[in-house]
Every structure is written in C-alpha cells, then in structure tokens.
Amino acid sequence: MFTTAELFITFDPHTGQSTPETDVVALVDLALDKSGTGTVDAEELHAASGWPLRRFNPPFAYLVSRIDDRRVLHGGTEDYPSRGFLMTDGDRVTLQRFAARLRR
C-alpha cells in the first residue's frame, strides 16, 4: 500500500496541514510567471513557493495532473512527484482556466 496525491488533497484541509486546492492556485501563478513556455522545474518552483516540502508536494502533484503525461518529466527525484514538466501555450490556457475555476 502507498499514498497518493489524492489522499493529501482530500484530507490535508481536515488535518490543518494545508489546503492543496488553494495552494495549487498559487503554484499555477508561479509556474505561469516563471516559465513563459518551456520547462517548469520542480526544485525551482518549490524554492519560489517558500513552502516546506510537505506542503509543496500535494499541490504540485495536483498541478502536474493537469499536464499531458507526455510532457511530464518523470523519474530522477525522490523529493518530488516529478522533476517538472514542459509547458506549451495550450497548457498555459488550461492552467489559467483551472486556477480560475478554483478561485471561485
């Protein structure tokens, strides 16, 4: 048995750890500001957030789930759900809409 990002997204708000649905909006904004189009690096995004790893990973996994898996950079890290992802113009639009829905 192992944990998944969905477990943290569902239960963190009830434990007082954090609120991944709110935090993912902040990460989307950071990713959009940092990347233009190109690679969004997990370590750089984590540093820009200023959050501890435990708070960063659930919303980062949530954000990565919105990116086509063919552009997600898997493997090579023990600290993050992925090393990052490649962002296209279409991803920028998708992430902007995703964040707008969560802001409501």
Side-chain angles (χ1 to χ4, degrees):
M1 181 167 35
F2 59 94
T3 58
T4 64
E6 290 79 13
L7 177 76
F8 296 103
I9 291 165
T10 301
F11 290 104
D12 275 4
H14 302 289
T15 65
Q17 292 287 327
S18 63
T19 308
E21 282 193 347
T22 302
D23 290 347
V24 73
V25 172
L27 288 185
V28 166
D29 291 342
L30 284 172
L32 292 172
D33 287 345
K34 290 185 75 55
S35 74
T37 56
T39 303
V40 175
D41 181 76
E43 288 184 40
E44 290 176 10
L45 194 60
H46 179 210
S49 74
W51 298 334
L53 192 60
R54 171 62 181 82
R55 180 177 176 189
F56 175 79
N57 273 333
F60 180 66
Y62 196 13
L63 178 133
V64 168
S65 74
R66 300 298 173 184
I67 302 297
D68 186 310
D69 198 51
R70 294 172 292 182
R71 290 189 300 282
V72 176
L73 307 171
H74 296 288
T77 180
E78 293 180 13
D79 291 333
Y80 304 104
S82 78
R83 292 177 309 173
F85 56 92
L86 304 173
M87 188 183 310
T88 65
D89 288 333
D91 294 323
R92 291 182 67 77
V93 172
T94 298
L95 291 176
Q96 288 169 341
R97 289 178 179 163
F98 171 61
R101 280 193 311 271
L102 291 175
R103 282 187 175 105
R104 293 183 198 170

